[in-house]
Amino acid sequence: MPVESRPLRRDAQRNRELLLAAAREVFGAKGLEAPLDEIARRAGVAIGTLYNRFPTRAELIDATFAEPVGRWVTIGEEALAEPDPWDGIVQYVVRSCELHSIDRGLTQVCTESYPDAPGIEAAKLRSWDVLVRLVARAKDAGVLRADAEPSDLPMAVVAASRIAELESDPDRWRRHIRYVLDGLRADKRRATRR
């Protein structure tokens, strides 16, 4: 029986959870190149325990970020459920920015390819499908510029997350994202009420 299909012992499960929580903190603050020994230290386990549970950095990244990347799918689906297509676009962008502005690792995972992280890549494909539908709906309703592309929205989110990283005021991105949304709106009325 493969190791993954056997239930973990209680102590092994606890170590796994500690490692994943530490990885979220360290990767979130320092990015995906953060030292693995720092993650093990923060989890209170030996580096060997980390490698025993996650033999490669890619496996640790996949286990750490597959669920958070999946939140993007939920954000997109909730935005699609908004009765007003423009409000859906705004909701998608603002909620995505809120996630990315506080998590450097999540931004990296969403903007780079991780072929050795199948959970992340599957979540990104589902997220993209929802985003394409969200953009098409807004364009069909005439509220999003005709030349807007689905990739414009994640790029705006990434730019806003970079602003949050560089500014002393972590919410400064909100001002900048209003400018971006104003530029994406087809009828040029004030883009957001947020």
Side-chain angles (χ1 to χ4, degrees):
M1 177 183 280
V3 173
E4 288 78 25
S5 60
R6 282 187 296 192
L8 294 175
R9 294 184 332 259
R10 190 174 309 148
D11 62 328
Q13 181 61 37
R14 180 182 51 79
N15 287 343
R16 184 181 195 283
E17 290 168 6
L18 289 170
L19 284 164
L20 290 175
R24 290 282 298 134
E25 290 175 17
V26 173
F27 287 149
K30 296 185 174 186
L32 301 180
E33 299 80 26
L36 296 182
D37 60 338
E38 183 175 343
I39 293 169
R41 201 171 32 256
R42 187 166 297 190
V45 301
I47 190 71
T49 301
L50 183 146
Y51 282 114
N52 183 45
R53 190 59 35 219
F54 304 102
T56 67
R57 182 179 290 266
E59 289 178 66
L60 177 60
I61 290 169
D62 196 37
T64 303
F65 288 103
E67 186 270 328
V69 171
R71 277 189 234 144
W72 238 7
V73 176
T74 303
I75 288 170
E77 288 170 344
E78 290 171 356
L80 275 171
E82 276 290 320
D84 182 278
W86 180 252
D87 288 345
I89 291 288
V90 172
Q91 178 180 317
Y92 174 85
V93 170
V94 170
R95 288 189 61 207
S96 296
C97 285
E98 288 169 347
L99 280 178
H100 287 269
S101 69
I102 58 170
D103 193 331
R104 207 169 141 192
L106 180 61
T107 301
Q108 277 184 268
V109 162
C110 289
T111 58
E112 298 171 14
S113 178
Y114 288 90
D116 295 333
I120 289 171
E121 293 304 310
K124 284 166 49 174
L125 286 173
R126 289 191 312 275
S127 176
W128 181 256
D129 177 60
V130 172
L131 177 59
V132 167
R133 289 186 285 141
L134 183 67
V135 167
R137 181 178 86 132
K139 287 169 81 169
D140 290 346
V143 296
L144 187 64
R145 292 171 54 135
D147 61 346
E149 298 176 2
S151 61
D152 293 334
L153 299 185
M155 293 306 282
V157 170
V158 169
S161 69
R162 185 73 175 130
I163 290 167
E165 188 180 318
L166 297 173
E167 287 283 335
S168 58
D169 175 5
D171 280 338
R172 182 81 171 184
W173 62 265
R174 291 181 189 278
R175 177 174 177 244
H176 295 277
I177 208 66
R178 282 195 308 267
Y179 299 146
V180 172
L181 288 167
D182 281 341
L184 288 170
R185 185 147 187 159
D187 62 12
K188 301 297 185 211
R189 287 182 288 152
R190 187 164 173 79
T192 65
R193 294 184 295 265
R194 297 175 192 222

